[in-house]
Each structure stands twice: as C-alpha cells, then as structure tokens.
Amino acid sequence: MEQLKITVALIIAILLQWTLRNVAEPFVYIDFPLIIVVYAALQRNAIKALFYGTFAGIAVDALSGGLLGANGFSKTLIAYIVSEIVRRVYLDNLLLKIPVIAGACLLNNVVYYGMHRLLGQEPTGEFVPTIAYTIIGTTVVGTIIYLILDSFFAESVIKRRKREMFAPRRQTRRRNPIRLGNRR
Amino acid sequence: MIERSQKEVWKLTPWLMIALLLGNFILMAYSAKTASNQNLIRVWAQTTAKFVQSPITGVSSAVTNYFQSISSLGTAKSENDVLKQRVQELEVELQNRESLAVENVRLKSILELKEQSDYKRLPAQIIGRDPSAWFDTLIINRGSLDGVKLNMPVVTKGGLVGRVSAVSPLTAQIYLITREKVSEGGVIGELGTSNALGVVSGTGKKELLEMGYVPGSIEVQVGDSVYTTGQEGIYPAGLKIGEIVEVRSGSATVQHQIFIKPSANFSAMQEVAVLFYEPPPRPEYDKSLPNAVKKK
C-alpha cells in the first residue's frame, strides 16, 4: 500500500513537471520527480528507488529538448547514492533531509549537464544561475512535500522503521544480587 | 511477490544500478547520434502528455485572461481614444499602401519577376514548455495528423520562433532559434541595410542571439533588423529574426561580433504558426555540405 502511494505521488510529480512551466516560468526550477525519487530512497527501498529514478527521468526527458536518458541516468545515480547513505546514517529527522535533497539536486544537475557536454550537446541554460535557482526551488518545495508525505505515511513508516532499526529486545530476567543475598 | 532479505537487497542494488545506468547511457548515446529528436519514446510520451497539458493550459490561460481583463478595465477609456486616433492614421496609410501595391504589380510585370508563393500557415497553441530548466523547447497542439512535418519553420507575429524537432500524431516539439548552434546549422541571416550575410546562432543565454562571420569592413548599426536568407535550407527567406542590440566592431581583417534580440517574445507567447514550407531541393553536389559552416 505504501509503495502504491509513492508510485501515485511519482506520477503526479511527473505530470506537474510536464505542465507547470507553461503556467508560470519559475516552476521549472522545482524538480518534482527528483523530490519523490529521493523520498523513495529515504524509505530504505533501494531497488524501487532505482526504478523510480529511471522511469521519472525518462518521462521528463521524453518531453525535453535534451538527450533522452540523461535525466534517467542522473536520477538513478542519485537514488542509489541516497539509499546507500541512508543505509549508514539515520536520516529520519526532517532537518537532516534538507541537506540531502539540496545535495541530491546539485549532483543531479551537475551529472545532467556533464553528460550533455560529454556527448557534445550544450544546454541552453546558464550553468551557475540554473543550478542555484533549481537548488533553492527544489529544496524549499521538497521540504514542504516531505512534511506532507511524512504525515500521510506516518503510521506505517514509523512502525516499519522501528522494526528495522531496533531488533526486539530479549526479555531476560536478571538476578538481583541483593535478593540473592537475602535468600541466603 | 518475492520477499527479499535486506542483505539480498544490498547485494543486488549495485548490479541493478549499473544495468539501469548502462541502459540510460545507451539511450543517450543513440539520442546524441541521431540528428533528429524524433523517436518512439518521445512520440508516445508527447501524445500521452497532450491529454494532461491541453486542459491545464486551457484553465490557466482562462484564469490569466480573466484577471487581465479586470485589470485592463481601468485603462480602457484612454486606450479607446488612442486606438480611435490610430485607426484614422492607419486608414490614411492604407490608402498610400494600396497605391504602392498597384505600382509594385505594374513594375514587376515590366521586369517579369515571378511572384513568390505564400506559404500556408497553421495556427497552433503552445500547450507545454520544456520540463527541464536546461532547455527551452515548446510543445504545440498540432501534429502529423494536421500535416506538420519535421523541420517545418515556426513563426509568430513578431518573427521567427524556430523549427519542428519532433512530431507525434497530436503534438509537435519546437526547437527555438536560441538553441541553434553554428556547428549544427545556424540560421543564415541578412542585415537589413547592408545585405551582408552572417550565421545566426544561440549564445547560451535566453533571448539573445549572436551573428558571426560578418566582415569587419561592413558598417553595422545597433537597431538594424536581421532577416533569414533561406540558404540553410530550413527557413524561407525574408522572415525577421530580430534586431541588433550590440556590435563589437571588427576591422578589415577581423569580423564583427553582433548580438541580436529576437523579435519573438519567447517567454510570453501563447500562440504560434507553423509554415508549410518545403525548401527547394538542393543540387547533388550541394548535398555533401550539410551546413553553411561545416563541423570541425
């Protein structure tokens, strides 16, 4: 059920990415699919996060003037890196997720730009301003979306995380030395 | 559904990542190799996206128009007076033009010049813009079912917009002229006053073009208009590209560096027109030269 919810969120994110730039230009600086891909990776579901990254990237590339697969490449890489980080570091606090989404956005744009340059295609946007605006837009909106998603998924996620993070304690009965003494 | 242990997932993930990255890289390499932006994934995605983009564009433009009409009510009275005066001026100008047109026809018949055929224009609405911040392509609501083909020129009332880069049955993708590169077939422009030729290409900045290869010995003024010549085999001759906003003067041996502001307002336009223009076939010897400036 939880995966279905994330899949629906990803599809909505792709549709928003396809349409919102025509409503207002600044919306282009928010990478909605990246926000959801990073969220999926933060849920410690690496395999699904990788597939989400590829699918969302190719869906965005299909309507873009860039190379088909460039976004798929960068988002798959981001999904893997985030899922590896979250395996080693506890990132369930929202404040800790903010630098993760900002870093993911920076890396995503650098990889995307680099792949185009590598294959002889020069993007039209200016490097520094485009990256700066995208990081600001994606981080701010991403934080709000994570708040909404966290409240949406709260119960099932918290239960599962507790189960994964803390192994059930063995209920062992300790002998109290004082009582032992009394027995004598 | 297969339940995998966390250890199995950790082992599987790197291999899956490598496979997916490789798949994406092959797609990218194929996309970079083919000159056209047309492929099956794009065609299907664009066709699917049309059903989402069209209603959202319709609603957003209706809301925008509603608020614009409210805000413009205040200035309607003074605007009406100005327009009435303008209509009178235009009527006088029209009479002059009519006499000039009659004279033009007479002179052409004397010189036996062939009349240039007017191209059919297909009006189209912009229903989508590039979802990536790095590119600025457009998506229009006309496709191959309406007769749109690859590389057809797209114009707006201001001037040249670009060309069709991918076509699906219901939509088409447009490359703006700001994207054209010298090495990929930049537009060959003609300066309005001197008739000097040069190659117009994108600068990497939005809404700014660069014109190169104009000899430094030719006088160039800021404010001069630049038109297409039709020599690159995509755009017909005589379409306005833009106006010169900056000239870095050259000398007898160094070419001018000219910057042009495009006539079309790319960020605000909502409607464009596709020109059903098919360039004249190139002679056999010319086919070996794909661009005005060959790739290095």
Side-chain angles (χ1 to χ4, degrees):
Chain A
M1 192 62 187
E2 187 193 321
Q3 292 311 315
L4 181 72
K5 284 178 187 171
I6 295 181
T7 310
V8 171
L10 186 73
I11 291 168
I12 293 169
I14 292 167
L15 296 180
L16 288 175
Q17 196 71 26
W18 278 356
T19 50
L20 283 187
R21 190 179 187 180
N22 204 29
V23 177
E25 184 70 18
F27 280 120
V28 78
Y29 296 115
I30 304 166
D31 198 335
F32 291 101
L34 180 74
I35 293 169
I36 304 298
V37 168
V38 172
Y39 187 82
L42 286 170
Q43 304 304 304
R44 296 183 186 82
N45 202 333
I47 293 178
K48 278 178 184 151
L50 289 177
F51 281 116
Y52 285 152
T54 299
F55 172 69
I58 290 176
V60 171
D61 284 333
L63 260 70
S64 165
L67 293 173
L68 187 69
N71 246 314
F73 188 93
S74 58
K75 284 186 173 58
T76 308
L77 194 65
I78 297 298
Y80 178 73
I81 292 170
V82 174
S83 60
E84 282 297 304
I85 291 172
V86 85
R87 221 180 86 187
R88 292 167 172 82
V89 186
Y90 185 77
L91 285 175
D92 281 359
N93 189 333
L94 184 66
L95 284 175
L96 294 174
K97 287 178 186 171
I98 296 171
V100 172
I101 181 98
C105 186
L106 173 68
L107 190 63
N108 178 56
N109 278 290
V110 169
V111 171
Y112 182 82
Y113 185 85
M115 292 313 293
H116 276 88
R117 294 300 299 262
L118 182 74
L119 293 168
Q121 309 273 320
E122 200 173 334
T124 325
E126 289 174 85
F127 185 71
V128 176
T130 307
I131 287 187
Y133 291 141
T134 312
I135 290 174
I136 294 167
T138 308
T139 309
V140 171
V141 176
T143 310
I144 298 165
I145 290 176
Y146 284 1
L147 266 172
I148 297 166
L149 289 177
D150 274 347
S151 62
F152 200 56
F153 295 127
E155 278 180 37
S156 59
V157 172
I158 290 166
K159 270 183 194 171
R160 189 169 58 81
R161 278 181 200 163
K162 276 185 179 172
R163 202 169 57 236
E164 280 175 8
M165 295 296 295
F166 308 107
R169 283 184 180 176
R170 287 171 60 199
Q171 300 293 319
T172 51
R173 187 180 287 174
R174 285 186 170 181
R175 284 187 171 180
N176 190 332
I178 301 163
R179 278 187 183 174
L180 285 172
N182 287 345
R183 274 185 193 174
R184 283 175 196 174
Chain B
M1 200 169 166
I2 307 161
E3 282 290 330
R4 291 191 180 88
S5 71
Q6 204 63 27
K7 207 172 180 180
E8 281 176 330
V9 170
W10 291 342
K11 275 185 186 172
L12 185 67
T13 311
W15 295 109
L16 186 65
M17 185 223 18
I18 290 167
L20 289 173
L21 290 185
L22 200 65
N24 278 304
F25 192 82
I26 290 167
L27 265 180
M28 263 191 290
Y30 178 74
S31 183
K33 196 184 166 201
T34 50
S36 151
N37 210 13
Q38 180 93 347
N39 65 48
L40 200 65
I41 296 174
R42 282 191 205 273
V43 168
W44 278 103
Q46 281 180 24
T47 309
T48 313
K50 202 231 173 190
F51 297 104
V52 186
Q53 288 175 329
S54 279
I56 288 177
T57 306
V59 171
S60 69
S61 58
V63 171
T64 312
N65 288 342
Y66 177 74
F67 284 107
Q68 273 177 353
S69 63
I70 289 173
S71 65
S72 63
L73 271 177
T75 55
K77 174 79 176 72
S78 59
E79 205 172 301
N80 192 28
D81 293 340
V82 173
L83 285 173
K84 274 181 185 169
Q85 198 181 342
R86 183 81 184 125
V87 166
Q88 286 174 350
E89 286 170 11
L90 286 173
E91 275 177 0
V92 174
E93 202 177 315
L94 187 67
Q95 284 171 0
N96 291 338
R97 288 274 168 96
E98 278 171 359
S99 65
L100 282 173
V102 171
E103 192 184 342
N104 190 26
V105 170
R106 187 172 53 79
L107 290 171
K108 271 186 178 172
S109 65
I110 293 167
L111 294 168
E112 293 180 344
L113 286 174
K114 284 180 185 173
E115 191 64 41
Q116 203 175 27
S117 63
D118 205 6
Y119 319 109
K120 190 185 159 195
R121 285 165 183 249
L122 179 72
Q125 196 186 7
I126 297 168
I127 56 165
R129 287 170 195 269
D130 203 304
S132 163
W134 292 102
F135 294 94
D136 45 14
T137 55
L138 305 173
I139 293 167
I140 57 169
N141 65 343
R142 302 286 190 174
S144 56
L145 292 176
D146 300 296
V148 178
K149 289 178 188 166
L150 274 178
N151 288 330
M152 277 184 168
V154 179
V155 294
T156 185
K157 62 180 177 184
L160 183 64
V161 172
R163 65 186 165 92
V164 176
S165 62
V167 193
S168 77
L170 303 173
T171 61
Q173 191 182 40
I174 315 295
Y175 270 172
L176 300 184
I177 44 172
T178 48
R179 189 199 158 104
E180 301 285 9
K181 301 289 169 205
V182 174
S183 60
E184 291 169 7
V187 187
I188 299 180
E190 183 180 26
L191 290 170
T193 49
S194 62
N195 293 344
L197 298 183
V199 179
V200 179
S201 55
T203 54
K205 288 180 184 170
K206 285 174 185 172
E207 317 243 332
L208 193 65
L209 300 165
E210 188 180 350
M211 187 174 186
Y213 302 98
V214 176
S217 54
I218 289 170
E219 198 180 329
V220 181
Q221 302 282 330
V222 170
D224 275 1
S225 297
V226 181
Y227 298 91
T228 55
T229 60
Q231 290 178 17
E232 74 289 297
I234 295 174
Y235 304 106
L239 294 176
K240 191 176 178 182
I241 299 171
E243 285 181 1
I244 296 173
V245 287
E246 190 188 341
V247 181
R248 289 180 194 162
S249 298
S251 62
T253 52
V254 180
Q255 296 150 347
H256 288 303
Q257 204 180 358
I258 299 168
F259 293 96
I260 302 164
K261 187 180 184 297
S263 304
N265 186 356
F266 297 128
S267 51
M269 63 188 178
Q270 287 297 321
E271 274 150 6
V272 291
V274 181
L275 288 187
F276 281 26
Y277 168 76
E278 286 187 18
R282 291 154 71 182
E284 204 58 42
Y285 66 86
D286 196 27
K287 284 180 183 171
S288 58
L289 298 165
N291 302 315
V293 181
K294 289 200 82 175
K295 285 181 184 177
K296 286 175 187 172

